[in-house]
Amino acid sequence: MSDMSYPTKEESQFMNVQGGEKKVMKKILSVALSTAMAFSMFASVAFGETATTPQAKFDALAAKGILNGYPDGQAHLEKDLTRAEFAKIVTKLFGLTEVTGKLSYKDKGYTAKNWAVPYIEAVTAAGYMQGQDTVKGLFNYNGKVTVQEVAAVLFRALKLEQPATTDNSASAWAKGYAQAVINAGLVAQTTNFKGNATRSLVVETAYAVDQKTVAPTLTVTSAEAVSPTKVVVTFSDKTTANVDLTTALVAGVETTINFKHLEKDYTAKVTLQAPKVVSITAPNAKQVVVKFNRAIDPDTLVETNTLIEGVVKVTEVGKTVDVAKDAKVVISDDATQATISLDGNTFLKGNYTVVINDTIRTTAGEAIPAFTQLLPVADTVAPTVVSVSAVAKTTTNKVYVKLSEPVKTAGLIAYVNGAAASVSRDTYQPLDEVTLTAGTLNSGTSYDVSLTNLSDYAGNLATPNPVKTTVTVTSDVQAPVVQKVTAIGDKTVEVVFNKAVDYNSLVGNVRLLDANGESKGVFTINTTSDTKTFKLTSPLGSLPSTGTFSGSIVFGATVRDTIGNNLGTAVTQPITFNKDTVAPTVTSITYKSGSGLVIKFSEEVNHVAGVSGLTLIKDSTGVGTAVTSTPVKSKDGKSLTFATPGGVVGAYTLRLPEGLVVDASFAKNKLVATTVAVTGSTTSSDSDRPKVTSIVYAGENTNDFIIKVTVTDNSGVSVASLTDRNSYTMDSKALPTGAFITLESAADNATTRVALINIPKSSISETKDYKFLANGVADTAGNGVEAHNEVAIKLYDNVAPKLSSAAVSSTDSAVLIVTFSENVKNIQPEDLLFSINSKEITPLTFDKVGNSTDKWYVTFNKKDIDASASSGAQDLNANNINTITVKVKDTADISDIANNKITTGTEVSGK
């Protein structure tokens, strides 16, 4: 609570000022620079140069358009301020609404025509000021404001600390306020605090406040392209901004972008990285999270919320079972993260190899390269309750519990207000949420909730047991809102509501009208995995000859949400269907042992009976086999599964004839004849796994380190798996970019094969032991390699360190942080050329950051930059600092830990 001590009537005319702590203090005093008829508020000023006299400081403010002088054009710094003028300052300062039509005081001349009344009433209504004489009801708007009153405002608004001792001329009630502003360097100790505040003093104080609170100049610290047309820029204050580009970036090409932020112009250099998998993690024993550096097309990863088989494989080291089969997937809102929740009671424990194939695409259609990572999982953290909610129009019997991770419903016992409640999870409900079904729960009422035996899939039991919490039933009496209506093709509409809607209330209750308002029939309603989203099939039998139908969709008044709130009145949305002329295309083909070939298309399709020619051709022999089975269609209609006459092992080509499928449009656009590569595998009588007999360092050439991997198997090692870079991991990650695999010569199906992994020297920036695994290798029968230990091989750093960046510290603006590409040694300040405002400056201090030697703290002496300044560390965000550069001198003897000499001549900008 603020110190709200009040002066006596005899001591001061000051008002009751409250709540100012939340406002920007520098506005307070700048407004005091003009009279009541010529005020202009002071808002976030940064001065271009340092002013030294009251007039110069006034001129600096006036040049910014912050304030005006008197009508005669003069500043009149000798004049005092009145209570009326100060009321206007306070009103403008704190953004109060001017109050008219009210007269709270009995001063002579205090009428609706008095210019100050709206401001006095505003500060009175807010409790910021009160009458000087409360007995007589007088405000005394012509009374003067004293310096100690100004000090009190500064104290509260700037949240200064109450000093333990005081030494100033203020009255007893104001001595603490006065001392605080003295200690803050805002008002001189010798000032007569009991005297009236002159405009000159206010100018001085406002300027001092501004210099203390001026926002630092922002600089761009990094820029990352998250898509070809979107860049996320990070500034020196750690804030970020999204920049949308009109011209798409080209992958791998450094591009300079120009943009505005907070009304200022900036430039940044950015390079669009190729799309890739950023990381794979297991936040718990039930889920795997895959992060991408671009937004992905969900249809290339997910089919009806289920992982497309084979796109992401998760296998325990030494085993072949893909535990990610039939897993549920949730894509993040920005489509850069996929959370994979394992099906059934399957959970992770131990070491797993995660292999992501190359069929995932970005939203721009770019292929994301295959990726492999070793994933150790040891879940020892028990689940916790994140939130408990219940929503009702009047009553409900459902309570929804959100957990920190997926939990088992089996064995979980729940009570709501002491009565047993059943525990369930709906089909589309996430694994980290459960539904409790209890008795009648009333809106607005709170209830106790108890959960006994709350356990995750790894067996971690929540403590205390039971977990106890409460839930308040939230009242919802709002009708659902149609947020979006989108035509998909020429027959289907996607409708999105703002809340879950009752499917049954839509059936027979959504009509299509033509442009004349004539009904064309009702839509067929199809559910999705999202209870807010529905697919509606048009009642039209065809489109007009023009190829376009324009009309409207009418949602009946009885359409309701899941708790019974009706629309109340019919809702009409415009809709236009255009002729679909785009033929379907094949997006992927996979082979599933036991089911057959799964062909995924770009849109919903229908198989055309009687069209022959679907042929599976074995690449090694050229022999083709006709596929004549009737396909099974997926729920979303985008995939067809054909049973094959035999197992599919090895490399094949599938030929799809023209017209094998047509899309679901009125035009029934035909598939164009297509050939697609297919790689299959199936079970075999051979159950022996191949073995990795050795992984050793095999020397180096000009560009690469070479690692030799020897694998044996009784029936032969798969060449494809040996040469696939995704079969290997290095330090639990995919092989570095540029790595490739060759094989030593051997006969086909040889029982021993040797793979040579070429690791680019340019990818090794640290000399250390790197751990290698070959967990993706298989034999010709498809058996995965036996579990084997990681092998540590020392590789040596051949990469020269570089000067990476220089930036003013966000926590101490007197510090410049100089960063190198890696830890360095033998560094001296004289190895670097520091320039401020194009003038060479010798550092005041030069120290490493903690135990790291890739970052260094540098400060500079004020006197080296401005000879008239006092000694001490220079504020690098000050207005007199325009440019900062750091350059590695040609004579520098800096090197990394492996003795690679630094790249000289490199220069970076720190501002």
Side-chain angles (χ1 to χ4, degrees), residues 276-299:
K276 64 179 181 179
V277 175
V278 175
S279 66
I280 302 174
T281 58
N284 52 70
K286 192 66 175 176
Q287 295 176 313
V288 174
V289 177
V290 183
K291 292 185 178 180
F292 305 87
N293 69 340
R294 303 275 188 85
I296 65 166
D297 177 2
D299 284 345

Side-chain angles (χ1 to χ4, degrees), residues 48 248 265 340 418 507 632 795 814 889:
D265 293 319
I340 301 170
V507 176
V632 177
L795 300 180
K889 293 181 181 179

Side-chain angles (χ1 to χ4, degrees), residues 9 26 30 51 55 59 62 102 108 118 148 169 219 291 331 359 382 415 481 511 608 651 654 658 707 709 758 768 836:
K9 178 178 177 181
K26 58 186 174 184
S30 62
Q55 183 63 50
D59 292 341
K102 186 176 182 181
K108 184 178 180 180
Q148 60 193 12
S169 63
T219 57
K291 292 185 178 180
I331 305 294
T359 61
Y415 293 89
V481 175
R511 294 178 295 127
V608 179
L654 182 66
E658 179 180 359
I707 310 300
V709 180
N758 293 259
K768 69 170 191 175
I836 297 180

Side-chain angles (χ1 to χ4, degrees), residues 237 277 360 408 458 466 604 689 691 705 727 767 853 901:
D237 65 350
V277 175
I360 300 176
K408 300 175 184 177
E604 184 180 351
R689 298 180 182 279
K691 296 179 181 179
F705 294 114
S727 294
T767 299
T853 58
K901 297 294 185 182

